[in-house]
Amino acid sequence: MTDVTTRRLDLAGTRTFATPGAGPTRRRALAEFGFGWLQQLWREACAGRRHEGVALAAVGSLARGDGGPLSDYDLVLVHHPRGLSGKEVGAFADKLWYPIWDAGVRLDHSVRTVAECRAVASDDLSAAVGLLDLTHVAGDTDVVNAARSTVAHDWRANARTRLAEIQESVVQRHARQGDLAHLVEPDLKEAHGGLRDMSVLRALTAAWLTDRPHGEVDEAYDRLLDVRDAIHVVTGRGRDRLTREDQDACAALLGHTDADALLTDVSTSARTIAYAVDGTLRRAMQSQRARTLRVGPRRPQLAPLGYGLYRHDGEAVLGPSADLASDPVVPLRAAVVAARGGIPLSPATLRNLAASAPALPEPWPEVARNLFADLLATGPGLVTVWEGLDLAGVVERWIPEWRAVRSRPQRNAVHRHTVDRHLVETVVAAAGMVRDVARPDLLVLAALLHDIGKVAGSHDHSATGARVADTVLQRMGVPEPDREVVVRLVREHLTLVELATRRDPEDPATIAALSEAVDGSVTTLDLLRALTEADASAAGPKAWTDWRAGLVQRLYETCRAALARTQEERTLVVEPTDALALPHAALEQVASGEPYVTVVSLGGAHRLDIVDRDRAGLFADTAGLLAAHGFVVRSAIVRTLDGVAVNEWWVDSPGGESPLPDVIARDLRRVAGGDRTPLGRLQRRRSAAVRSPGSGSVDSTRAKVVTSASDTATVIEVRATDRPGLLQDIGITLARASLSVRSAHIATYAGQTLDTFYVTEFGGGRLAPARAAQTVAMIIDTCDAG
């Protein structure tokens, strides 16, 4: 080990690593030593002679002052062509480079004129970004300033053409190196969220394209630099990769309790930087497109998304109508809108949501639970939105237990993500299977919580997770029967795959064990099968092979058939047959030909009771009017008694307004009289509807006849992705088929509708089999054409 290397390691020390804030001081000392030593070498090379127009400059970590104990020295010998000759410059450079090599310091060097610096920066993106940091070390200051100012000027002038090149380079590097936050042996420099991304942030700022975040981002950068410095000291080499064999020593040097705590700190820091570079690059691209496409003064282009949110330059932002200070549900509404649109929440909006929105009451109101399920079911759009909410501290306010699994590493080679990211990826995978289960809201909740027990000190994360999940669900106010199902799924989320791969699927004991795990419920078994696949596929390709999938499916089908033989599967709802006691005012109003409408608002949801004379198309018209007014139907019970339609609708209001009974009654009268004008707004809402980017991957509509549900009506069950006007379309289809809707039972879970219709011929009676099959086909075509 040379004297220079020894001195650099001595300056790094070991005692200060665990001291908060010592890293920047240590790196400044290393930079000062490096500059001083190089200036001494310069004087020795000059041998008392003055070289006009020649200077030694640094780029990279030495220039920035954030180099580690054994980082490379990246040096440029800059000269004017009218000074020393080419031969003289080469000889002088050798006098500088050889002592550095002899000292054992890794060196990246070049000799360039000012014009050559400009040319190489124009041709090579990496060189251009590096030369932006060009810093004088020794010699003629003017030549270094000339090179640096020329490169910076060109960088700003050509920012429009180079921005796409930057983005492509970043995307390719991230794809090649992976996410630093989720790697077990991360490359601290090149991976997504690593040290190299800070250079991208500085380059974008230097181009005057956008500002970059500071504060937490700078702190995260310093933490990664501290880990990099520890690697140098522990290994005695200038490495950037944190390997398994070095993690314990680095953790001890940095004052962490163990390697997992170190990886958690690395992951948290990387997530902060990754989110910053992604957002900054996105805003730079958006601003560039705006300059290119927009003629005249730049005015904000705001497209309404609902719930007081607007799309602006590719991000979701809060509008002035959002009641942020008094409505604790606003963060959930904002998250749903952004995730469905596949766009992130803007940083300013995230800060406002975290700082100003009041905490949700305990237990949560029903509207909050519905929105949370909607958020989890949005598919791939969830990932970026959840990450922003998590970094802003909003997720932890919803689920305090999330803190224990945030950025927590997983040592199992099967897993490719940290615990928290795996949970989110499992939710995304489960969102693609919501059509396979009767309760998609319970599926996505179980997916979010299935590994919540992977905390320090837990020996059985399934049992621990079940207890934690129960606490979370009670805080959310999930009804007890639903809570018991989700807790059971969390506790048993490994049971199906373990039985399928380790036991004989035909053995009655295996079937009995799985039946006991799902409490003898076909519905719970369906949920467990979907959760099993979502969990394994989110873990990685090693966890969900064709062989394993086949074993799981075989055991599932065998057990489901056994459970079906012991219990008769019926529809999820029961048609009420008792007469209802209607208010006298309602009976009088309906007798006079006027619809009777009342509205009750509870916790952000609204219940509409509508009583009217039954007629063909009433169900479709009512559903269409509610959609035209911007209301989202959460559930409904629609029934006809003695020629009178008695309907109960529960709706949510993205626009924030409460339904007005007089307006609904007036529009019903107009539509019944043949005036379709009140329905005109529905088509505009259809066109502007925001769909999740992952919605296209969901299977088509599923509809079937439930043969054992009724002796007097044909019962049709429909599962489809909810959208504006869906119920109206189904109602119109049934009316065109000349069918009477005796009752309908509407439920929406996590963006999926589970609707049951009791239909008869107009004269009464069940549908013939061929007619029922034709009706089912018409409903499927209608839903899929939406």
Side-chain angles (χ1 to χ4, degrees), residues 620 682 686 723-734 782-783 786:
L682 177 56
R686 290 180 195 266
R723 58 174 169 79
L726 175 65
L727 288 176
Q728 184 200 33
D729 290 346
I730 295 175
I732 290 173
T733 299
L734 295 175
T782 295
C783 295

Side-chain angles (χ1 to χ4, degrees), residues 180-469:
L180 174 55
H182 308 300
L183 297 171
V184 177
E185 291 188 316
D187 185 319
L188 301 181
K189 187 174 183 179
E190 302 293 344
H192 187 201
L195 303 175
R196 181 78 71 187
D197 280 340
M198 287 298 289
S199 297
V200 175
L201 288 176
R202 286 188 290 266
L204 292 173
T205 304
W208 296 355
L209 291 171
T210 181
D211 194 9
R212 74 166 183 87
H214 294 275
E216 290 184 354
V217 177
D218 293 326
E219 294 171 4
Y221 183 56
D222 280 335
R223 288 196 295 270
L224 289 187
L225 290 173
D226 286 344
V227 179
R228 189 270 326 266
D229 293 353
I231 296 173
H232 288 192
V233 172
V234 165
T235 64
R237 298 181 180 181
R239 294 176 175 174
D240 297 312
R241 185 175 295 278
L242 180 59
T243 60
R244 292 175 188 265
E245 57 266 27
D246 300 324
Q247 289 172 3
D248 288 331
C250 288
L253 184 60
L254 291 165
H256 292 291
T257 55
D258 55 28
D260 279 0
L262 169 63
L263 288 176
T264 298
D265 191 44
V266 169
S267 176
T268 301
S269 302
R271 291 173 62 184
T272 301
I273 294 173
Y275 193 79
V277 75
D278 291 347
T280 303
L281 186 56
R282 181 176 60 249
R283 285 188 292 278
M285 296 292 292
Q286 291 161 357
S287 67
Q288 199 58 51
R289 284 194 295 268
R291 293 179 189 177
T292 303
L293 300 177
R294 204 168 290 162
V295 178
R298 176 178 169 86
R299 297 184 178 88
Q301 301 294 309
L302 300 177
L305 297 171
Y307 295 130
L309 272 290
Y310 295 84
R311 183 196 298 269
H312 172 59
D313 276 347
E315 295 178 333
V317 300
L318 280 172
S321 63
D323 187 11
L324 188 58
S326 60
D327 187 357
V329 183
V330 168
L332 281 167
R333 299 188 193 279
V336 170
V337 167
R340 282 180 174 169
I343 56 177
L345 289 161
S346 75
T349 294
L350 285 168
R351 288 193 295 271
N352 288 335
L353 294 175
S356 303
L360 284 165
E362 296 181 15
W364 291 11
E366 183 178 5
V367 64
R369 293 197 300 274
N370 290 335
L371 286 167
F372 192 67
D374 288 348
L375 172 63
L376 297 183
T378 50
L382 172 69
V383 176
T384 301
V385 172
W386 188 274
E387 184 76 356
L389 292 166
D390 194 13
L391 291 174
V394 176
V395 170
E396 192 172 313
R397 292 175 61 184
W398 294 337
I399 309 174
E401 294 79 4
W402 193 259
R403 184 189 308 113
V405 297
R406 182 188 293 116
S407 299
R408 184 166 183 80
Q410 303 201 71
R411 298 290 181 165
N412 191 328
V414 168
H415 280 279
R416 56 185 173 179
H417 295 120
T418 53
V419 176
D420 58 333
R421 180 59 180 271
H422 170 68
L423 292 174
V424 175
E425 292 288 345
T426 304
V427 173
V428 172
M433 293 181 280
V434 290
R435 202 67 54 74
D436 298 334
V437 297
R439 290 295 303 273
D441 55 331
L442 304 187
L443 172 61
V444 292
L445 275 175
L448 182 70
L449 300 173
H450 77 279
D451 274 352
I452 199 73
K454 283 188 174 179
V455 296
S458 174
H459 300 291
D460 183 351
H461 78 273
S462 297
T464 302
R467 293 191 295 271
V468 175

Side-chain angles (χ1 to χ4, degrees), residues 423-729:
L423 292 174
V424 175
E425 292 288 345
T426 304
V427 173
V428 172
M433 293 181 280
V434 290
R435 202 67 54 74
D436 298 334
V437 297
R439 290 295 303 273
D441 55 331
L442 304 187
L443 172 61
V444 292
L445 275 175
L448 182 70
L449 300 173
H450 77 279
D451 274 352
I452 199 73
K454 283 188 174 179
V455 296
S458 174
H459 300 291
D460 183 351
H461 78 273
S462 297
T464 302
R467 293 191 295 271
V468 175
D470 191 52
T471 301
V472 172
L473 297 170
Q474 287 190 54
R475 184 186 303 115
M476 291 181 176
V478 175
E480 184 174 354
D482 293 346
R483 190 176 78 244
E484 289 177 353
V485 171
V486 176
V487 170
R488 179 177 292 275
L489 290 171
V490 172
R491 185 173 57 249
E492 305 292 346
H493 74 271
L494 296 175
T495 299
L496 175 55
V497 71
E498 288 179 349
L499 290 174
T501 56
R502 300 176 185 177
R503 303 272 287 275
D504 180 1
E506 303 296 336
D507 191 324
T510 306
I511 305 302
L514 182 55
S515 299
E516 182 179 358
V518 298
D519 197 29
S521 167
V522 172
T523 299
T524 305
L525 177 62
D526 291 344
L527 289 167
L528 180 60
R529 196 219 67 80
L531 176 60
T532 299
E533 180 177 345
D535 180 20
S537 59
K542 295 180 181 179
W544 192 244
T545 62
D546 291 342
W547 167 78
R548 181 166 290 193
L551 292 177
V552 166
Q553 187 66 18
R554 179 183 177 187
L555 176 56
Y556 160 73
E557 291 176 351
T558 304
C559 185
R560 199 179 198 282
L563 290 177
R565 286 194 297 269
T566 61
Q567 62 180 13
E568 183 180 2
E569 293 186 70
R570 295 184 179 276
T571 184
L572 297 177
V573 295
V574 178
E575 184 184 26
T577 56
D578 296 337
L580 297 177
L582 297 176
H584 183 68
L587 295 175
E588 284 189 342
Q589 198 160 318
V590 171
S592 66
E594 296 288 324
Y596 176 82
V597 181
T598 61
V599 177
V600 177
S601 297
L602 298 170
H606 310 283
R607 170 179 167 169
L608 289 85
D609 289 300
I610 301 176
V611 184
D612 200 358
R613 287 182 178 178
D614 189 31
R615 58 178 173 80
L618 175 61
F619 169 79
D621 290 344
T622 306
L625 283 173
L626 293 176
H629 283 283
F631 301 119
V632 176
V633 176
R634 290 293 184 181
S635 66
I637 300 177
V638 177
R639 50 217 163 185
T640 303
L641 302 173
D642 299 327
V644 177
V646 182
N647 305 332
E648 175 187 308
W649 300 80
W650 284 91
V651 301
D652 190 14
S653 174
E657 63 274 9
S658 174
L660 299 176
D662 293 343
V663 173
I664 300 296
R666 180 202 64 199
D667 287 349
L668 281 171
R669 280 197 308 273
R670 292 175 62 185
V671 171
D675 181 3
R676 312 299 288 180
T677 304
L679 294 170
R681 286 190 294 177
L682 177 56
Q683 186 56 44
R684 294 192 294 273
R685 291 187 180 276
R686 290 180 195 266
S687 302
V690 176
R691 297 191 67 189
S692 168
S695 60
S697 62
V698 178
D699 292 341
S700 59
T701 302
R702 299 182 187 181
K704 65 178 182 180
V705 175
V706 185
T707 57
S708 60
S710 174
D711 295 330
T712 57
T714 296
V715 180
I716 300 176
E717 185 180 278
V718 182
R719 298 185 187 185
T721 300
D722 195 23
R723 58 174 169 79
L726 175 65
L727 288 176
Q728 184 200 33
D729 290 346

